Amino acid sequence: MENTRRSFLKKMTAAGVGAAGLAMAGTASATTVAGSPEPQKKKTAGKDDGKLRFGFIGTGSRCHEHINNVLAIPGNKIVAICDIQQGPIDRTLKHIAKFNVDAPKVYKGGEREFEKMLNNEEFDCVIIASPWEWHVPMSVAAMKAGVPYVGVEVSAANTLEECWDLVNVSEATGSHLNIMENVCYRRDCMAALNMVREGLFGELLHGGCGYEHDLRDVKFNDGKNYTYQKGGELRMGPTAFAEAQWRTNHSVHRNGDVYPTHGIGPVANCMDINRGNRFVAMSAMATQSRGLHKFIVDNGGENHPLAKVRFNLGDIVTSMIKCANGQTIIVTHDTNSPRPYSLGFRIQGTDGLWMNDGDHVYVEGQSKPHRWDNSDEWFKKYDHKLWAQLDAQAKEAGHGGMDFIMMYDLIDRIKNKRPAPMDCYDAAAWSAISALSEMSIARGGALVDFPDFTRGQWINRKPEFGL
């Protein structure tokens, strides 16, 4: 991957496009995606049937959820899929066959097969659902290949250099990069966004969010039985299953908020980040790392081979962000501890707040003093139009329906040639929390500056999401 990035930066610099380092110095072009030229499309082979052409890179379970929604919406087809492992490909082909549609072309084998797929086929949209370290190389390749819309799973990038790569290439090619942050489409989050835009909470002051999810089973999954179940084994790396093959290694080598976007996305939308507001500085701290080692010992014993692994990721990582318009945001990452799931949303302003743990709402002048309202009635009143329109279709979709709403919105943008609902600047800003938290923690919690990925355009950019 590093060789690929170096090669790409050389090509982009030679072509006169600002590389990551130039962009960070503020000397690169300040064009917007909307003002960039349309991506160069390859010639269509054969008669066009009018359907949107989708491709998928990475064919795990997340890919299957996207396929469900793409094929549930009329007017779409899957042209090709790509993976390095035969097992996921076979399962994906079997899954697609259930829809009684033509089988897609298959690209498999080497790590660079996705480049062959992108160069050989013509797509309206390519969805990338691969391991984190491949998100940027694959997104960059898709945009350079002329794919008009590229959907990348979360987090979109791991380093600041990668964040700038996404921005620079999207600007240079005109390709719309969309971060596939499904929680932004969660029904309560969209209703809360409506309440914010209607001024129910007054001027926003503070936000809270995070990713608090017990992933110990996921990080040591053997593919046969989860570790908690009888007969399960503790595995990570090449012999493990699904995300345990690669995700657990991030807990070994990194110490920071490695998965921030589920939480920060909805809060950023409420606070108009990159559209009249922006993140300006951040500080982060981490607790000691205990949970994963204890899980191994509790389930495999002190002599288990994995008990020798040293995990760097603190069990609880807390980041505080300062915004240009004065607001603060606290982001929490907690995946190594025994706990129920929570994203810990809190949107608070001068006239009230929403807190999703307990589903509490308080609006001054309308709620009883010092008492919470149940959010149900508020959210029924301020239900977002996408949910009101698509409730029946979304009910059977993944993650409570928000996956369907997200794909519907993206497809609507593609059909109408509108900007991506969550663009390259969002992908960069939300994902940059990972690298900046690592940097701050390594410096003892020091305050670090947040790059302005819009290069000053945030002042005049208008909200796009949910409109």
Side-chain angles (χ1 to χ4, degrees):
M1 183 178 71
E2 194 60 39
N3 290 334
T4 302
R5 187 179 299 114
R6 285 196 294 266
S7 175
F8 161 71
L9 289 175
K10 289 178 181 177
K11 292 178 182 178
M12 295 297 279
T13 303
V17 178
L22 295 176
M24 292 172 69
T27 58
S29 169
T31 58
T32 66
V33 172
S36 299
E38 285 293 315
Q40 295 297 314
K41 296 183 179 180
K42 296 180 284 295
K43 293 181 179 180
T44 303
K47 186 177 180 180
D48 191 343
D49 59 8
K51 292 185 176 181
L52 294 183
R53 297 152 297 195
F54 279 79
F56 289 88
I57 305 176
T59 59
S61 60
R62 188 63 181 141
C63 171
H64 292 193
E65 293 175 359
H66 289 316
I67 286 172
N68 291 342
N69 297 314
V70 166
L71 295 181
I73 298 170
N76 307 311
K77 66 180 180 180
I78 300 174
V79 174
I81 61 174
C82 180
D83 207 302
I84 63 173
Q85 297 183 20
Q86 188 64 47
I89 288 174
D90 290 342
R91 288 189 288 272
T92 299
L93 291 173
K94 185 177 180 180
H95 185 73
I96 293 174
K98 298 176 183 177
F99 292 87
N100 195 29
V101 297
D102 292 338
K105 293 183 182 179
V106 174
Y107 290 82
K108 62 181 180 179
E111 289 185 340
R112 313 309 304 189
E113 282 296 309
F114 67 90
E115 293 175 339
K116 294 181 182 179
M117 185 186 91
L118 294 169
N119 290 328
N120 291 346
E121 311 296 339
E122 185 172 3
F123 302 102
D124 295 289
C125 181
V126 168
I127 304 294
I128 296 164
S130 59
W132 296 341
E133 53 266 31
W134 284 99
H135 285 181
V136 171
M138 290 172 175
S139 297
V140 164
M143 289 188 285
K144 292 183 69 179
V147 179
Y149 290 82
V150 178
V152 60
E153 266 297 343
V154 299
S155 291
N158 299 297
T159 68
L160 292 183
E161 180 187 38
E162 288 183 335
C163 291
W164 280 111
D165 286 350
L166 294 177
V167 170
N168 291 335
V169 179
S170 182
E171 288 182 342
T173 63
S175 179
H176 298 279
L177 181 82
N178 184 73
I179 180 171
M180 304 294 285
E181 183 41 76
N182 61 343
V183 179
C184 289
Y185 292 89
R186 211 170 82 167
R187 195 165 197 164
D188 56 351
C189 291
M190 297 196 83
L193 177 61
N194 273 348
M195 294 179 72
V196 168
R197 288 175 172 171
E198 290 293 325
L200 270 295
F201 301 138
E203 180 185 358
L204 293 192
L205 301 169
H206 178 71
C209 60
Y211 188 63
E212 301 171 287
H213 189 187
D214 184 355
L215 294 183
R216 294 173 299 167
D217 260 358
V218 172
K219 293 183 180 185
F220 300 107
N221 190 357
D222 67 352
K224 298 177 182 178
N225 295 285
Y226 281 111
T227 309
Y228 282 139
Q229 300 173 0
K230 186 177 181 180
E233 297 181 25
L234 291 161
R235 291 189 183 181
M236 59 175 282
T239 64
F241 179 75
E243 295 181 26
Q245 294 181 1
W246 54 269
R247 185 169 189 159
T248 320
N249 283 328
H250 287 266
S251 299
V252 175
H253 298 289
R254 303 171 65 188
N255 189 15
D257 188 334
V258 298
Y259 201 64
T261 70
H262 281 336
I264 199 62
V267 174
N269 286 331
C270 286
M271 293 190 177
D272 292 331
I273 298 302
N274 294 329
R275 296 165 178 83
N277 197 6
R278 79 173 187 93
F279 304 140
V280 294
M282 196 181 97
S283 175
M285 291 188 180
T287 70
Q288 63 270 50
S289 179
R290 296 291 184 268
L292 296 184
H293 176 76
K294 183 178 185 299
F295 185 76
I296 293 168
V297 172
D298 289 347
N299 288 276
E302 293 183 358
N303 295 323
H304 192 282
L306 294 183
K308 299 177 181 179
V309 176
R310 180 180 179 273
F311 296 97
N312 283 318
L313 182 64
D315 288 353
I316 301 171
V317 177
T318 305
S319 303
M320 177 176 280
I321 301 172
K322 182 68 174 179
C323 299
N325 291 347
Q327 300 91 350
T328 55
I329 306 171
I330 293 177
V331 188
T332 304
H333 181 269
D334 176 3
T335 62
N336 299 343
S337 307
R339 57 159 301 126
Y341 177 85
S342 173
L343 296 183
F345 286 120
R346 175 176 173 177
I347 301 295
Q348 186 166 2
T350 55
D351 293 332
L353 73 160
W354 166 55
M355 297 180 68
N356 84 293
D357 283 343
D359 288 322
H360 296 316
V361 169
Y362 183 85
V363 178
E364 190 169 51
Q366 299 188 52
S367 303
K368 293 181 179 179
H370 307 293
R371 294 188 180 183
W372 292 109
D373 292 337
N374 187 287
S375 64
D376 290 347
E377 292 303 315
W378 284 105
F379 288 170
K380 285 180 183 177
K381 182 177 180 180
Y382 290 95
D383 196 22
H384 193 274
K385 61 183 179 181
L386 282 173
W387 276 99
Q389 173 188 349
L390 302 169
D391 183 30
Q393 295 168 265
K395 279 183 178 178
E396 301 302 321
H399 293 97
M402 59 188 176
D403 285 343
F404 180 86
I405 303 292
M406 175 177 67
M407 189 61 72
Y408 181 94
D409 193 28
L410 177 58
I411 289 173
D412 181 69
R413 303 298 179 107
I414 297 171
K415 288 180 177 179
N416 292 288
K417 297 182 179 181
R418 294 176 58 199
M422 300 171 290
D423 62 17
C424 65
Y425 306 113
D426 300 318
W430 303 352
S431 300
I433 293 171
S434 291
L436 293 171
S437 64
E438 291 181 80
M439 186 186 303
S440 177
I441 290 169
R443 299 176 182 178
L447 194 68
V448 294
D449 291 333
F450 217 104
D452 174 12
F453 294 104
T454 74
R455 304 182 184 94
Q457 297 175 74
W458 64 272
I459 296 174
N460 296 315
R461 295 181 82 228
K462 302 301 182 184
E464 180 68 37
F465 178 82
L467 297 176

